[in-house]
Structure formats: structure tokens, C-alpha cells
PDB file of all heavy atoms in Angstrom:
ATOM      1  N   VAL A   1    -187.659-145.487  97.706  1.00 93.00           N
ATOM      2  CA  VAL A   1    -187.747-144.158  98.310  1.00 93.00           C
ATOM      3  C   VAL A   1    -188.869-144.155  99.340  1.00 93.00           C
ATOM      4  O   VAL A   1    -189.805-144.931  99.253  1.00 93.00           O
ATOM      5  CB  VAL A   1    -187.999-143.058  97.257  1.00 93.00           C
ATOM      6  CG1 VAL A   1    -186.853-142.974  96.277  1.00 93.00           C
ATOM      7  CG2 VAL A   1    -189.306-143.284  96.530  1.00 93.00           C
ATOM      8  N   GLY A   2    -188.767-143.252 100.297  1.00 91.00           N
ATOM      9  CA  GLY A   2    -189.814-143.108 101.297  1.00 91.00           C
ATOM     10  C   GLY A   2    -189.397-143.713 102.625  1.00 91.00           C
ATOM     11  O   GLY A   2    -188.350-144.344 102.703  1.00 91.00           O
ATOM     12  N   PRO A   3    -190.194-143.505 103.631  1.00 94.00           N
ATOM     13  CA  PRO A   3    -191.406-142.691 103.647  1.00 94.00           C
ATOM     14  C   PRO A   3    -191.086-141.202 103.510  1.00 94.00           C
ATOM     15  O   PRO A   3    -189.947-140.778 103.728  1.00 94.00           O
ATOM     16  CB  PRO A   3    -192.026-143.013 105.004  1.00 94.00           C
ATOM     17  CG  PRO A   3    -190.910-143.497 105.850  1.00 94.00           C
ATOM     18  CD  PRO A   3    -189.896-144.108 104.926  1.00 94.00           C
ATOM     19  N   GLN A   4    -192.103-140.432 103.158  1.00 93.00           N
ATOM     20  CA  GLN A   4    -191.955-138.988 103.002  1.00 93.00           C
ATOM     21  C   GLN A   4    -193.293-138.328 103.289  1.00 93.00           C
ATOM     22  O   GLN A   4    -194.333-138.796 102.837  1.00 93.00           O
ATOM     23  CB  GLN A   4    -191.498-138.661 101.573  1.00 93.00           C
ATOM     24  CG  GLN A   4    -191.508-137.173 101.265  1.00 93.00           C
ATOM     25  CD  GLN A   4    -190.901-136.843  99.919  1.00 93.00           C
ATOM     26  OE1 GLN A   4    -189.691-136.759  99.814  1.00 93.00           O
ATOM     27  NE2 GLN A   4    -191.720-136.658  98.896  1.00 93.00           N
ATOM     28  N   GLU A   5    -193.258-137.224 104.028  1.00 93.00           N
ATOM     29  CA  GLU A   5    -194.470-136.457 104.294  1.00 93.00           C
ATOM     30  C   GLU A   5    -194.851-135.688 103.025  1.00 93.00           C
ATOM     31  O   GLU A   5    -194.051-135.562 102.106  1.00 93.00           O
ATOM     32  CB  GLU A   5    -194.257-135.502 105.483  1.00 93.00           C
ATOM     33  CG  GLU A   5    -193.241-134.401 105.247  1.00 93.00           C
ATOM     34  CD  GLU A   5    -191.774-134.815 105.364  1.00 93.00           C
ATOM     35  OE1 GLU A   5    -191.472-135.941 105.778  1.00 93.00           O
ATOM     36  OE2 GLU A   5    -190.914-133.984 105.005  1.00 93.00           O
ATOM     37  N   ALA A   6    -196.065-135.184 102.967  1.00 88.00           N
ATOM     38  CA  ALA A   6    -196.521-134.404 101.812  1.00 88.00           C
ATOM     39  C   ALA A   6    -195.576-133.231 101.580  1.00 88.00           C
ATOM     40  O   ALA A   6    -195.164-132.562 102.529  1.00 88.00           O
ATOM     41  CB  ALA A   6    -197.943-133.899 102.043  1.00 88.00           C
ATOM     42  N   ASN A   7    -195.211-132.990 100.337  1.00 86.00           N
ATOM     43  CA  ASN A   7    -194.279-131.925  99.941  1.00 86.00           C
ATOM     44  C   ASN A   7    -192.924-132.046 100.636  1.00 86.00           C
ATOM     45  O   ASN A   7    -192.259-131.047 100.872  1.00 86.00           O
ATOM     46  CB  ASN A   7    -194.887-130.546 100.180  1.00 86.00           C
ATOM     47  CG  ASN A   7    -196.108-130.321  99.321  1.00 86.00           C
ATOM     48  OD1 ASN A   7    -196.071-130.568  98.115  1.00 86.00           O
ATOM     49  ND2 ASN A   7    -197.197-129.891  99.922  1.00 86.00           N
ATOM     50  N   GLY A   8    -192.528-133.278 100.945  1.00 88.00           N
ATOM     51  CA  GLY A   8    -191.241-133.510 101.602  1.00 88.00           C
ATOM     52  C   GLY A   8    -190.063-133.199 100.702  1.00 88.00           C
ATOM     53  O   GLY A   8    -190.208-132.934  99.509  1.00 88.00           O
ATOM     54  N   LYS A   9    -188.875-133.255 101.254  1.00 84.00           N
ATOM     55  CA  LYS A   9    -187.659-132.876 100.534  1.00 84.00           C
ATOM     56  C   LYS A   9    -186.764-134.068 100.207  1.00 84.00           C
ATOM     57  O   LYS A   9    -185.680-133.902  99.677  1.00 84.00           O
ATOM     58  CB  LYS A   9    -186.852-131.855 101.361  1.00 84.00           C
ATOM     59  CG  LYS A   9    -187.622-130.601 101.705  1.00 84.00           C
ATOM     60  CD  LYS A   9    -187.959-129.794 100.485  1.00 84.00           C
ATOM     61  CE  LYS A   9    -188.684-128.508 100.857  1.00 84.00           C
ATOM     62  NZ  LYS A   9    -189.336-127.898  99.725  1.00 84.00           N
ATOM     63  N   LYS A  10    -187.220-135.297 100.490  1.00 89.00           N
ATOM     64  CA  LYS A  10    -186.378-136.468 100.248  1.00 89.00           C
ATOM     65  C   LYS A  10    -186.480-136.995  98.825  1.00 89.00           C
ATOM     66  O   LYS A  10    -185.556-137.610  98.321  1.00 89.00           O
ATOM     67  CB  LYS A  10    -186.765-137.600 101.210  1.00 89.00           C
ATOM     68  CG  LYS A  10    -186.528-137.303 102.662  1.00 89.00           C
ATOM     69  CD  LYS A  10    -187.011-138.484 103.497  1.00 89.00           C
ATOM     70  CE  LYS A  10    -186.925-138.178 104.977  1.00 89.00           C
ATOM     71  NZ  LYS A  10    -187.491-139.283 105.770  1.00 89.00           N
ATOM     72  N   PHE A  11    -187.629-136.792  98.168  1.00 92.00           N
ATOM     73  CA  PHE A  11    -187.878-137.379  96.856  1.00 92.00           C
ATOM     74  C   PHE A  11    -188.759-136.448  96.040  1.00 92.00           C
ATOM     75  O   PHE A  11    -189.719-135.868  96.557  1.00 92.00           O
ATOM     76  CB  PHE A  11    -188.571-138.738  97.038  1.00 92.00           C
ATOM     77  CG  PHE A  11    -189.007-139.383  95.760  1.00 92.00           C
ATOM     78  CD1 PHE A  11    -188.086-139.881  94.852  1.00 92.00           C
ATOM     79  CD2 PHE A  11    -190.357-139.494  95.457  1.00 92.00           C
ATOM     80  CE1 PHE A  11    -188.497-140.477  93.673  1.00 92.00           C
ATOM     81  CE2 PHE A  11    -190.778-140.096  94.275  1.00 92.00           C
ATOM     82  CZ  PHE A  11    -189.836-140.587  93.386  1.00 92.00           C
ATOM     83  N   ARG A  12    -188.448-136.334  94.748  1.00 92.00           N
ATOM     84  CA  ARG A  12    -189.241-135.473  93.868  1.00 92.00           C
ATOM     85  C   ARG A  12    -189.274-136.054  92.457  1.00 92.00           C
ATOM     86  O   ARG A  12    -188.379-136.789  92.056  1.00 92.00           O
ATOM     87  CB  ARG A  12    -188.673-134.061  93.831  1.00 92.00           C
ATOM     88  CG  ARG A  12    -187.325-133.983  93.136  1.00 92.00           C
ATOM     89  CD  ARG A  12    -186.727-132.580  93.175  1.00 92.00           C
ATOM     90  NE  ARG A  12    -185.479-132.513  92.455  1.00 92.00           N
ATOM     91  CZ  ARG A  12    -184.293-132.831  92.928  1.00 92.00           C
ATOM     92  NH1 ARG A  12    -184.183-133.260  94.165  1.00 92.00           N
ATOM     93  NH2 ARG A  12    -183.205-132.725  92.190  1.00 92.00           N
ATOM     94  N   ILE A  13    -190.325-135.699  91.728  1.00 95.00           N
ATOM     95  CA  ILE A  13    -190.439-136.040  90.310  1.00 95.00           C
ATOM     96  C   ILE A  13    -190.562-134.718  89.571  1.00 95.00           C
ATOM     97  O   ILE A  13    -191.448-133.908  89.862  1.00 95.00           O
ATOM     98  CB  ILE A  13    -191.668-136.921  90.042  1.00 95.00           C
ATOM     99  CG1 ILE A  13    -191.598-138.199  90.878  1.00 95.00           C
ATOM    100  CG2 ILE A  13    -191.761-137.258  88.548  1.00 95.00           C
ATOM    101  CD1 ILE A  13    -192.898-138.967  90.942  1.00 95.00           C
ATOM    102  N   VAL A  14    -189.662-134.493  88.608  1.00 94.00           N
ATOM    103  CA  VAL A  14    -189.642-133.244  87.862  1.00 94.00           C
ATOM    104  C   VAL A  14    -190.073-133.526  86.429  1.00 94.00           C
ATOM    105  O   VAL A  14    -189.626-134.495  85.820  1.00 94.00           O
ATOM    106  CB  VAL A  14    -188.239-132.597  87.892  1.00 94.00           C
ATOM    107  CG1 VAL A  14    -188.229-131.287  87.117  1.00 94.00           C
ATOM    108  CG2 VAL A  14    -187.781-132.368  89.323  1.00 94.00           C
ATOM    109  N   LEU A  15    -190.955-132.681  85.909  1.00 95.00           N
ATOM    110  CA  LEU A  15    -191.413-132.771  84.533  1.00 95.00           C
ATOM    111  C   LEU A  15    -190.739-131.674  83.722  1.00 95.00           C
ATOM    112  O   LEU A  15    -190.777-130.503  84.099  1.00 95.00           O
ATOM    113  CB  LEU A  15    -192.939-132.600  84.473  1.00 95.00           C
ATOM    114  CG  LEU A  15    -193.547-132.306  83.099  1.00 95.00           C
ATOM    115  CD1 LEU A  15    -193.337-133.476  82.138  1.00 95.00           C
ATOM    116  CD2 LEU A  15    -195.014-131.965  83.226  1.00 95.00           C
ATOM    117  N   TYR A  16    -190.121-132.076  82.613  1.00 95.00           N
ATOM    118  CA  TYR A  16    -189.555-131.127  81.650  1.00 95.00           C
ATOM    119  C   TYR A  16    -190.357-131.266  80.364  1.00 95.00           C
ATOM    120  O   TYR A  16    -190.711-132.376  79.957  1.00 95.00           O
ATOM    121  CB  TYR A  16    -188.085-131.438  81.365  1.00 95.00           C
ATOM    122  CG  TYR A  16    -187.206-131.286  82.571  1.00 95.00           C
ATOM    123  CD1 TYR A  16    -186.907-132.370  83.380  1.00 95.00           C
ATOM    124  CD2 TYR A  16    -186.681-130.043  82.926  1.00 95.00           C
ATOM    125  CE1 TYR A  16    -186.111-132.237  84.498  1.00 95.00           C
ATOM    126  CE2 TYR A  16    -185.880-129.895  84.050  1.00 95.00           C
ATOM    127  CZ  TYR A  16    -185.600-130.997  84.833  1.00 95.00           C
ATOM    128  OH  TYR A  16    -184.812-130.859  85.937  1.00 95.00           O
ATOM    129  N   ALA A  17    -190.671-130.149  79.717  1.00 95.00           N
ATOM    130  CA  ALA A  17    -191.415-130.157  78.457  1.00 95.00           C
ATOM    131  C   ALA A  17    -190.599-129.450  77.391  1.00 95.00           C
ATOM    132  O   ALA A  17    -189.971-128.420  77.648  1.00 95.00           O
ATOM    133  CB  ALA A  17    -192.764-129.465  78.634  1.00 95.00           C
ATOM    134  N   LYS A  18    -190.623-130.029  76.191  1.00 94.00           N
ATOM    135  CA  LYS A  18    -189.909-129.440  75.052  1.00 94.00           C
ATOM    136  C   LYS A  18    -190.788-129.598  73.829  1.00 94.00           C
ATOM    137  O   LYS A  18    -191.245-130.697  73.519  1.00 94.00           O
ATOM    138  CB  LYS A  18    -188.584-130.157  74.829  1.00 94.00           C
ATOM    139  CG  LYS A  18    -187.834-129.678  73.614  1.00 94.00           C
ATOM    140  CD  LYS A  18    -186.548-130.454  73.421  1.00 94.00           C
ATOM    141  CE  LYS A  18    -185.806-129.953  72.200  1.00 94.00           C
ATOM    142  NZ  LYS A  18    -184.552-130.669  71.993  1.00 94.00           N
ATOM    143  N   GLN A  19    -191.030-128.482  73.122  1.00 93.00           N
ATOM    144  CA  GLN A  19    -191.834-128.560  71.907  1.00 93.00           C
ATOM    145  C   GLN A  19    -190.945-129.064  70.773  1.00 93.00           C
ATOM    146  O   GLN A  19    -189.876-128.520  70.514  1.00 93.00           O
ATOM    147  CB  GLN A  19    -192.446-127.209  71.557  1.00 93.00           C
ATOM    148  CG  GLN A  19    -193.452-127.312  70.440  1.00 93.00           C
ATOM    149  CD  GLN A  19    -194.277-126.060  70.280  1.00 93.00           C
ATOM    150  OE1 GLN A  19    -193.846-124.973  70.606  1.00 93.00           O
ATOM    151  NE2 GLN A  19    -195.497-126.220  69.763  1.00 93.00           N
ATOM    152  N   THR A  20    -191.401-130.128  70.108  1.00 93.00           N
ATOM    153  CA  THR A  20    -190.612-130.733  69.030  1.00 93.00           C
ATOM    154  C   THR A  20    -191.165-130.390  67.652  1.00 93.00           C
ATOM    155  O   THR A  20    -190.461-130.539  66.656  1.00 93.00           O
ATOM    156  CB  THR A  20    -190.573-132.269  69.191  1.00 93.00           C
ATOM    157  OG1 THR A  20    -191.918-132.769  69.222  1.00 93.00           O
ATOM    158  CG2 THR A  20    -189.851-132.658  70.467  1.00 93.00           C
ATOM    159  N   SER A  21    -192.415-129.938  67.581  1.00 89.00           N
ATOM    160  CA  SER A  21    -193.024-129.562  66.307  1.00 89.00           C
ATOM    161  C   SER A  21    -194.058-128.480  66.558  1.00 89.00           C
ATOM    162  O   SER A  21    -194.933-128.625  67.403  1.00 89.00           O
ATOM    163  CB  SER A  21    -193.693-130.781  65.666  1.00 89.00           C
ATOM    164  OG  SER A  21    -194.424-130.390  64.527  1.00 89.00           O
ATOM    165  N   ASN A  22    -193.925-127.382  65.808  1.00 83.00           N
ATOM    166  CA  ASN A  22    -194.845-126.263  65.948  1.00 83.00           C
ATOM    167  C   ASN A  22    -195.528-126.053  64.602  1.00 83.00           C
ATOM    168  O   ASN A  22    -194.917-125.518  63.676  1.00 83.00           O
ATOM    169  CB  ASN A  22    -194.061-125.016  66.379  1.00 83.00           C
ATOM    170  CG  ASN A  22    -194.939-123.818  66.632  1.00 83.00           C
ATOM    171  OD1 ASN A  22    -196.073-123.756  66.165  1.00 83.00           O
ATOM    172  ND2 ASN A  22    -194.413-122.854  67.350  1.00 83.00           N
ATOM    173  N   PRO A  23    -196.795-126.471  64.453  1.00 79.00           N
ATOM    174  CA  PRO A  23    -197.453-126.405  63.145  1.00 79.00           C
ATOM    175  C   PRO A  23    -197.616-124.986  62.608  1.00 79.00           C
ATOM    176  O   PRO A  23    -197.689-124.791  61.412  1.00 79.00           O
ATOM    177  CB  PRO A  23    -198.814-127.057  63.392  1.00 79.00           C
ATOM    178  CG  PRO A  23    -199.042-126.966  64.847  1.00 79.00           C
ATOM    179  CD  PRO A  23    -197.682-126.976  65.487  1.00 79.00           C
ATOM    180  N   GLU A  24    -197.657-124.012  63.483  1.00 76.00           N
ATOM    181  CA  GLU A  24    -197.833-122.633  63.037  1.00 76.00           C
ATOM    182  C   GLU A  24    -196.502-121.983  62.673  1.00 76.00           C
ATOM    183  O   GLU A  24    -196.479-120.894  62.119  1.00 76.00           O
ATOM    184  CB  GLU A  24    -198.555-121.828  64.119  1.00 76.00           C
ATOM    185  CG  GLU A  24    -199.956-122.356  64.399  1.00 76.00           C
ATOM    186  CD  GLU A  24    -200.621-121.659  65.549  1.00 76.00           C
ATOM    187  OE1 GLU A  24    -200.063-120.680  66.089  1.00 76.00           O
ATOM    188  OE2 GLU A  24    -201.717-122.105  65.945  1.00 76.00           O
ATOM    189  N   GLY A  25    -195.391-122.628  63.005  1.00 76.00           N
ATOM    190  CA  GLY A  25    -194.071-122.101  62.659  1.00 76.00           C
ATOM    191  C   GLY A  25    -193.663-120.868  63.436  1.00 76.00           C
ATOM    192  O   GLY A  25    -192.673-120.226  63.116  1.00 76.00           O
ATOM    193  N   LYS A  26    -194.403-120.517  64.458  1.00 79.00           N
ATOM    194  CA  LYS A  26    -194.087-119.328  65.259  1.00 79.00           C
ATOM    195  C   LYS A  26    -193.052-119.667  66.324  1.00 79.00           C
ATOM    196  O   LYS A  26    -192.839-120.828  66.662  1.00 79.00           O
ATOM    197  CB  LYS A  26    -195.353-118.804  65.945  1.00 79.00           C
ATOM    198  CG  LYS A  26    -196.425-118.339  64.998  1.00 79.00           C
ATOM    199  CD  LYS A  26    -197.640-117.881  65.791  1.00 79.00           C
ATOM    200  CE  LYS A  26    -198.766-117.486  64.862  1.00 79.00           C
ATOM    201  NZ  LYS A  26    -199.976-117.155  65.613  1.00 79.00           N
ATOM    202  N   TYR A  27    -192.446-118.615  66.868  1.00 80.00           N
ATOM    203  CA  TYR A  27    -191.518-118.815  67.980  1.00 80.00           C
ATOM    204  C   TYR A  27    -192.279-119.387  69.168  1.00 80.00           C
ATOM    205  O   TYR A  27    -193.401-118.992  69.461  1.00 80.00           O
ATOM    206  CB  TYR A  27    -190.856-117.497  68.393  1.00 80.00           C
ATOM    207  CG  TYR A  27    -190.139-117.603  69.707  1.00 80.00           C
ATOM    208  CD1 TYR A  27    -188.883-118.193  69.777  1.00 80.00           C
ATOM    209  CD2 TYR A  27    -190.722-117.183  70.901  1.00 80.00           C
ATOM    210  CE1 TYR A  27    -188.220-118.341  70.981  1.00 80.00           C
ATOM    211  CE2 TYR A  27    -190.084-117.320  72.106  1.00 80.00           C
ATOM    212  CZ  TYR A  27    -188.830-117.898  72.143  1.00 80.00           C
ATOM    213  OH  TYR A  27    -188.183-118.045  73.339  1.00 80.00           O
ATOM    214  N   SER A  28    -191.660-120.315  69.864  1.00 80.00           N
ATOM    215  CA  SER A  28    -192.246-120.883  71.075  1.00 80.00           C
ATOM    216  C   SER A  28    -191.178-120.937  72.156  1.00 80.00           C
ATOM    217  O   SER A  28    -190.065-121.390  71.904  1.00 80.00           O
ATOM    218  CB  SER A  28    -192.773-122.293  70.812  1.00 80.00           C
ATOM    219  OG  SER A  28    -193.165-122.894  72.031  1.00 80.00           O
ATOM    220  N   SER A  29    -191.530-120.480  73.327  1.00 83.00           N
ATOM    221  CA  SER A  29    -190.581-120.550  74.448  1.00 83.00           C
ATOM    222  C   SER A  29    -190.360-121.995  74.880  1.00 83.00           C
ATOM    223  O   SER A  29    -189.469-122.288  75.656  1.00 83.00           O
ATOM    224  CB  SER A  29    -191.077-119.714  75.625  1.00 83.00           C
ATOM    225  OG  SER A  29    -192.286-120.243  76.117  1.00 83.00           O
ATOM    226  N   TRP A  30    -191.164-122.913  74.373  1.00 86.00           N
ATOM    227  CA  TRP A  30    -191.049-124.323  74.715  1.00 86.00           C
ATOM    228  C   TRP A  30    -190.092-125.066  73.778  1.00 86.00           C
ATOM    229  O   TRP A  30    -189.908-126.267  73.903  1.00 86.00           O
ATOM    230  CB  TRP A  30    -192.424-124.999  74.684  1.00 86.00           C
ATOM    231  CG  TRP A  30    -193.352-124.455  75.707  1.00 86.00           C
ATOM    232  CD1 TRP A  30    -194.298-123.485  75.532  1.00 86.00           C
ATOM    233  CD2 TRP A  30    -193.422-124.819  77.076  1.00 86.00           C
ATOM    234  NE1 TRP A  30    -194.957-123.239  76.705  1.00 86.00           N
ATOM    235  CE2 TRP A  30    -194.442-124.048  77.683  1.00 86.00           C
ATOM    236  CE3 TRP A  30    -192.731-125.736  77.870  1.00 86.00           C
ATOM    237  CZ2 TRP A  30    -194.772-124.163  79.020  1.00 86.00           C
ATOM    238  CZ3 TRP A  30    -193.074-125.860  79.206  1.00 86.00           C
ATOM    239  CH2 TRP A  30    -194.082-125.070  79.765  1.00 86.00           C
ATOM    240  N   SER A  31    -189.473-124.354  72.802  1.00 87.00           N
ATOM    241  CA  SER A  31    -188.591-125.037  71.855  1.00 87.00           C
ATOM    242  C   SER A  31    -187.329-125.571  72.537  1.00 87.00           C
ATOM    243  O   SER A  31    -186.696-126.486  72.031  1.00 87.00           O
ATOM    244  CB  SER A  31    -188.228-124.118  70.692  1.00 87.00           C
ATOM    245  OG  SER A  31    -187.565-122.968  71.167  1.00 87.00           O
ATOM    246  N   ASN A  32    -186.961-125.000  73.652  1.00 88.00           N
ATOM    247  CA  ASN A  32    -185.891-125.544  74.486  1.00 88.00           C
ATOM    248  C   ASN A  32    -186.557-126.154  75.715  1.00 88.00           C
ATOM    249  O   ASN A  32    -187.469-125.565  76.288  1.00 88.00           O
ATOM    250  CB  ASN A  32    -184.913-124.451  74.935  1.00 88.00           C
ATOM    251  CG  ASN A  32    -184.149-123.875  73.769  1.00 88.00           C
ATOM    252  OD1 ASN A  32    -183.696-124.615  72.893  1.00 88.00           O
ATOM    253  ND2 ASN A  32    -184.034-122.560  73.732  1.00 88.00           N
ATOM    254  N   ALA A  33    -186.113-127.329  76.104  1.00 89.00           N
ATOM    255  CA  ALA A  33    -186.727-128.000  77.256  1.00 89.00           C
ATOM    256  C   ALA A  33    -186.673-127.109  78.490  1.00 89.00           C
ATOM    257  O   ALA A  33    -185.653-126.469  78.751  1.00 89.00           O
ATOM    258  CB  ALA A  33    -186.025-129.319  77.525  1.00 89.00           C
ATOM    259  N   LYS A  34    -187.795-127.058  79.209  1.00 92.00           N
ATOM    260  CA  LYS A  34    -187.802-126.307  80.466  1.00 92.00           C
ATOM    261  C   LYS A  34    -188.671-127.027  81.480  1.00 92.00           C
ATOM    262  O   LYS A  34    -189.554-127.814  81.127  1.00 92.00           O
ATOM    263  CB  LYS A  34    -188.243-124.869  80.264  1.00 92.00           C
ATOM    264  CG  LYS A  34    -189.652-124.662  79.781  1.00 92.00           C
ATOM    265  CD  LYS A  34    -189.901-123.151  79.612  1.00 92.00           C
ATOM    266  CE  LYS A  34    -191.265-122.844  79.091  1.00 92.00           C
ATOM    267  NZ  LYS A  34    -191.495-121.401  78.965  1.00 92.00           N
ATOM    268  N   GLN A  35    -188.375-126.742  82.731  1.00 93.00           N
ATOM    269  CA  GLN A  35    -189.105-127.388  83.816  1.00 93.00           C
ATOM    270  C   GLN A  35    -190.556-126.940  83.769  1.00 93.00           C
ATOM    271  O   GLN A  35    -190.854-125.756  83.726  1.00 93.00           O
ATOM    272  CB  GLN A  35    -188.473-127.032  85.155  1.00 93.00           C
ATOM    273  CG  GLN A  35    -189.097-127.748  86.318  1.00 93.00           C
ATOM    274  CD  GLN A  35    -188.348-127.486  87.612  1.00 93.00           C
ATOM    275  OE1 GLN A  35    -187.143-127.588  87.663  1.00 93.00           O
ATOM    276  NE2 GLN A  35    -189.086-127.133  88.656  1.00 93.00           N
ATOM    277  N   ALA A  36    -191.477-127.912  83.781  1.00 93.00           N
ATOM    278  CA  ALA A  36    -192.896-127.604  83.691  1.00 93.00           C
ATOM    279  C   ALA A  36    -193.658-128.007  84.949  1.00 93.00           C
ATOM    280  O   ALA A  36    -194.847-127.757  85.046  1.00 93.00           O
ATOM    281  CB  ALA A  36    -193.494-128.298  82.471  1.00 93.00           C
ATOM    282  N   GLY A  37    -192.979-128.630  85.903  1.00 92.00           N
ATOM    283  CA  GLY A  37    -193.661-129.008  87.134  1.00 92.00           C
ATOM    284  C   GLY A  37    -192.807-129.879  88.028  1.00 92.00           C
ATOM    285  O   GLY A  37    -191.871-130.532  87.565  1.00 92.00           O
ATOM    286  N   VAL A  38    -193.116-129.855  89.320  1.00 93.00           N
ATOM    287  CA  VAL A  38    -192.438-130.688  90.322  1.00 93.00           C
ATOM    288  C   VAL A  38    -193.514-131.316  91.200  1.00 93.00           C
ATOM    289  O   VAL A  38    -194.447-130.636  91.618  1.00 93.00           O
ATOM    290  CB  VAL A  38    -191.470-129.864  91.196  1.00 93.00           C
ATOM    291  CG1 VAL A  38    -190.838-130.733  92.269  1.00 93.00           C
ATOM    292  CG2 VAL A  38    -190.397-129.200  90.347  1.00 93.00           C
TER     293      VAL A  38
END
């Protein structure tokens, strides 16, 4: 991949986060994977 200018549109890395264990047992919006950053 590349070349690409800063914040270009040719290439991206996306982070998804999903909570797999919640020690407090409370509801978490992270229990389903969601985009956490690009």
C-alpha cells in the first residue's frame, strides 16, 4: 500500500473492540464488537 498523504483515503486501519468478560456483570455497550478507531 502507499504512498498516501496524511489522512488519505487509499488505506486505513480500523480497530474494533469487543468486551469478552465483565467482572462486575453489568451491561456493557462493548459486549457487541464496535468500531473503536480508524
Side-chain angles (χ1 to χ4, degrees):
V1 297
Q4 172 173 278
E5 66 281 352
N7 296 311
K9 302 294 182 196
K10 296 178 186 176
F11 174 69
R12 69 183 183 276
I13 302 166
V14 180
L15 165 64
Y16 296 94
K18 176 182 180 179
Q19 189 168 27
T20 57
S21 173
N22 183 340
E24 297 174 6
K26 297 178 183 175
Y27 167 79
S28 172
S29 64
W30 296 96
S31 60
N32 294 317
K34 64 181 178 179
Q35 185 174 312
V38 177

